[in-house]
Amino acid sequence: MTPPRTQQIPVVVLAGFLGSGKTTLLNHLLRNRAGTRIGVIVNDFGSIEIDAMTVAGQVGSTVSLGNGCLCCAVDASELDTFLETLTRPTARLDLIVIEASGLAEPQELVRMLLASENPHILYGGLVEVVDAAEFDGVRERHPEIDRHLAVADLVVLNKTDRVGEGEQERLRRTVAELSRPAAVISAVHGRIDPELFFDPAMRPDGEEKTRQLTFEDLLREEAGDDHAGHLHAAYESVDFTSDVPLDPRRFIAFLDSRPEGLYRIKGFADFGAGDRDNRYTLHAVGRFLRFVPQPWARGEQRLTQLVLIGAGIDAEALRAGLTACRAEPGPETPDTETERAMWGVLRYVQQEPEPEDVREEAAAEA
């Protein structure tokens, strides 16, 4: 019997110019990971990897890359070598974050990930961190920041406590214009809701019934809940559930025209007669979209269940748009038109790994 393929691990690129607060944001995620296992690849420009040492003090599975900028010193095949280390079944990671050098070209990192032949990873988006207090000066010295923002999926306007309300609003408008259609959220000390990056696993390390108090627990207790309540205010979440199957052509049209500020879409879709055997798990981040067909469990209620996450989005308009994607009553078996419409979905389905990849994975898990 062929073993089932393990779930692909999202890989998020965390970028931003020197001093923007990338490492602070990453440390915040590690302190508030709620049981999610995070692997980190830290790339520092220079021989002394200060940021790498800072992060390494908080997480055991850290791979630190030196000898220059990752985007120009490492090609896609070499990056795969490091990703292979973190995607081994024994690591049991839920998320991988690449903290890029402040001098890296984010689009090159994204290109490497999309060109990767590692079947165990999934592109998780490009997050660009911007220093609100220094943005104008950085843009003058490094005009390439406009190009970086143009390819971002999520922009974190950090250190907003250092500028007034009027200035913050001006910066938001400027950054939003440069990064359109990416979502833009404000932050102080890199404190963003971890759910923008991942779904908290809410499980203890080792999954034992009792465990030793970890450094993460102490940090969370020390920090308290002073900022926990308002992190969700930075973004909005929209739920959609339907017991009527979706029309594949209408749903793909909806996804192709998703509005500005819509950062993540997760969940699964029922296409009814388009594919009676499978539901389609959906992973969308920024401009990236992927479907993964999975067999319906026996007796499972057939529903479409989606969660849409973004900033400045119109919740009612999104729900109305999804409602309009529901299929009209039709035959139980697909007709030619339905089959043709499903090709729009299938073009976003990744090809299954080769049999030898599956065998290697099974051997590693044994």
Side-chain angles (χ1 to χ4, degrees):
M1 178 179 177
T2 301
R5 185 175 63 183
T6 57
Q7 185 174 355
Q8 290 177 303
I9 303 173
V11 180
V12 175
V13 176
L14 182 60
F17 278 89
L18 297 169
S20 61
K22 299 187 304 296
T23 301
T24 302
L25 189 155
L26 178 57
N27 284 321
H28 168 72
L29 292 177
L30 295 173
R31 291 175 177 179
N32 297 274
R33 60 189 181 87
T36 300
R37 297 188 177 94
I38 304 175
V40 181
I41 297 177
V42 180
N43 169 231
D44 296 298
F45 193 85
S47 58
I48 301 176
E49 302 182 352
I50 298 174
D51 289 347
M53 290 186 286
T54 301
V55 175
Q58 297 185 33
V59 62
S61 53
T62 300
V63 177
S64 179
L65 306 181
N67 302 320
C69 174
L70 175 64
C71 70
C72 32
V74 180
D75 64 23
S77 62
E78 291 171 323
L79 179 60
D80 273 342
T81 301
F82 294 99
L83 290 173
E84 185 63 32
T85 301
L86 295 179
T87 56
R88 289 172 181 165
T90 52
R92 301 170 68 222
L93 295 178
D94 303 300
L95 177 76
I96 295 172
V97 178
I98 299 177
E99 185 195 358
S101 159
L103 300 178
E105 284 289 343
Q107 62 267 41
E108 289 302 309
L109 293 171
V110 172
R111 180 189 62 78
M112 291 179 194
L113 288 175
L114 294 178
S116 172
E117 297 180 356
N118 189 327
H120 309 295
I121 67 168
L122 185 69
Y123 177 59
L126 168 62
V127 179
E128 182 80 14
V129 184
V130 172
D131 183 339
E134 303 293 335
F135 176 72
D136 291 331
V138 169
R139 193 181 182 196
E140 183 176 346
R141 294 190 303 274
H142 301 285
E144 62 268 28
I145 193 174
D146 290 11
R147 186 174 68 250
H148 296 183
L149 288 169
V151 295
D153 299 301
L154 173 68
V155 179
V156 178
L157 186 61
N158 196 26
K159 304 183 183 182
T160 52
D161 57 322
R162 296 177 55 191
V163 298
E165 286 189 18
E167 177 68 358
Q168 184 180 156
E169 185 55 36
R170 180 190 71 82
L171 289 168
R172 282 186 61 88
R173 287 196 302 269
T174 300
V175 169
E177 181 66 29
L178 292 171
S179 62
R180 184 167 291 159
V184 179
I185 62 171
S186 299
V188 175
H189 302 303
R191 292 173 175 171
I192 66 172
D193 197 311
E195 290 191 48
L196 284 165
F197 279 66
F198 55 80
D199 303 319
M202 300 302 294
R203 67 189 176 205
D205 287 336
E207 300 181 348
E208 66 271 23
K209 293 182 180 178
T210 60
R211 66 185 177 106
Q212 182 180 356
L213 190 66
T214 66
F215 185 47
E216 176 193 352
D217 297 322
L218 295 175
L219 286 169
R220 191 160 47 240
E221 288 181 10
E222 179 183 320
D225 293 327
D226 294 340
H227 64 275
H230 68 263
L231 291 177
H232 295 279
Y235 71 93
E236 299 164 82
S237 179
V238 178
D239 298 327
F240 176 79
T241 301
S242 174
D243 57 1
V244 177
L246 299 184
D247 178 282
R249 179 173 282 108
R250 294 178 193 169
F251 188 50
I252 289 297
F254 171 85
L255 294 174
D256 286 343
S257 61
R258 49 194 186 272
E260 294 178 14
L262 183 57
Y263 172 56
R264 284 184 71 197
I265 307 176
K266 57 185 179 179
F268 48 87
D270 172 21
F271 291 115
D275 188 344
R276 289 291 179 192
D277 296 327
N278 296 294
R279 69 178 188 177
Y280 283 74
T281 299
L282 169 63
H283 169 80
V285 56
R287 304 164 180 83
F288 181 80
L289 175 62
R290 175 71 51 78
F291 283 105
V292 180
Q294 298 175 317
W296 290 101
R298 181 175 298 178
E300 181 180 3
Q301 185 178 9
R302 303 201 170 198
L303 297 172
T304 291
Q305 293 182 302
L306 301 170
V307 178
L308 299 85
I309 298 172
I313 56 178
D314 186 334
E316 291 308 311
L318 288 173
R319 288 195 183 96
L322 287 168
T323 299
C325 293
R326 293 188 297 185
E328 302 292 338
E332 289 294 309
T333 56
D335 53 22
T336 303
E337 187 67 21
T338 303
E339 290 179 341
R340 187 178 296 116
M342 278 300 294
W343 279 108
V345 174
L346 296 176
R347 65 192 171 104
Y348 292 108
V349 173
Q350 186 180 34
Q351 187 176 3
E352 288 289 328
E354 295 298 322
E356 56 267 24
D357 295 330
V358 174
R359 287 197 296 271
E360 289 175 4
E361 179 181 311
E365 291 177 335

